[in-house]
Amino acid sequence: MAADADKRKFWYRVVLGGVVFLLGGSMLLYLVPQGPGTDATSTETVAKVGDQTITLQDVRQQLAEIQRRGQVPKQFESIYAQQILRQLVFDREIQYEANRLGIHVTNEETAERIKQYLPAAFNGDSPIGMDQYSQLVQQQFQMPVQQFEDLIRKSILTEKFQKLVTDGISVSPAELR
């Protein structure tokens, strides 16, 4: 009797493992489109914020950038793609609201932040040559200058927006207790 129960448990686990494997594989195939018609030039819209769209190509470009650095195991690509999409939507929402509220990032603010990240990009208060600057950004951040500066601007814009939202919040010591 005990041997029969052990056999049933064994086969139950084998069948359950097979079902979980098939379910996981089908989810992966569904969430990471592949095959004909899904190349990197796809302009299929996956999200829209205001008048800005996020395409499948936008998600794939960022996923490819992460993969280029060797940071994405194949089995987690769909999870990374979902996180990338969420981040792209969040970035566009911040941009949309900032535009609506008249919040902008100036070139001076961008230059000050670059000084913080790359002090070697400046000789005193004057910037170094563009070739040297480009090489420095590539060495330290492994990305083109335009992408680096766009990330800086997004970061500053997000900080300004968060500051706007949280500046009106005050909590007394009694409320904290």
Side-chain angles (χ1 to χ4, degrees), residues 32-46 55-64:
V32 181
Q34 297 173 350
T38 60
D39 59 1
T41 61
S42 175
T43 57
E44 182 181 336
T45 299
V46 292
T55 65
L56 193 55
Q57 181 180 1
D58 296 331
V59 175
R60 286 193 176 141
Q61 282 176 338
Q62 290 208 5
L63 184 59

Side-chain angles (χ1 to χ4, degrees), residues 15-173:
V15 169
L16 184 61
V19 169
V20 169
F21 178 77
L22 287 173
L23 183 62
S26 65
M27 286 177 60
L28 183 64
L29 290 174
Y30 174 75
L31 294 173
V32 181
Q34 297 173 350
T38 60
D39 59 1
T41 61
S42 175
T43 57
E44 182 181 336
T45 299
V46 292
K48 188 170 182 171
V49 177
D51 60 349
Q52 298 180 24
T53 59
I54 300 169
T55 65
L56 193 55
Q57 181 180 1
D58 296 331
V59 175
R60 286 193 176 141
Q61 282 176 338
Q62 290 208 5
L63 184 59
E65 180 65 28
I66 294 170
Q67 287 172 326
R68 183 181 64 78
R69 295 180 187 149
Q71 300 171 341
V72 181
K74 204 70 162 151
Q75 66 268 26
F76 296 127
E77 282 181 354
S78 64
I79 295 169
Y80 276 79
Q82 290 172 2
Q83 290 174 338
I84 289 167
L85 179 59
R86 279 191 213 108
Q87 185 61 46
L88 287 170
V89 168
F90 177 76
D91 290 345
R92 301 277 164 72
E93 287 172 337
I94 293 288
Q95 182 67 48
Y96 176 81
E97 284 300 316
N99 288 343
R100 197 174 67 75
L101 296 170
I103 301 171
H104 301 284
V105 176
T106 65
N107 291 338
E108 291 79 21
E109 291 169 323
T110 304
E112 282 302 314
R113 184 63 55 92
I114 291 170
K115 274 186 191 179
Q116 291 174 0
Y117 287 128
L118 279 175
F122 292 86
N123 288 329
D125 283 338
S126 60
I128 61 175
M130 190 60 184
D131 289 340
Q132 291 173 311
Y133 173 60
S134 179
Q135 186 178 29
L136 196 61
V137 169
Q138 187 64 40
Q139 284 175 347
Q140 295 217 358
F141 300 101
Q142 289 81 42
M143 64 180 69
V145 169
Q146 187 63 44
Q147 185 181 2
F148 172 70
E149 291 180 353
D150 286 347
L151 286 172
I152 297 279
R153 284 187 198 92
K154 281 181 191 176
S155 170
I156 295 170
L157 188 65
T158 301
E159 288 172 16
K160 284 182 163 189
F161 192 76
Q162 287 174 342
K163 185 173 176 9
L164 175 74
V165 170
T166 58
D167 272 355
I169 299 173
S170 62
V171 179
S172 71

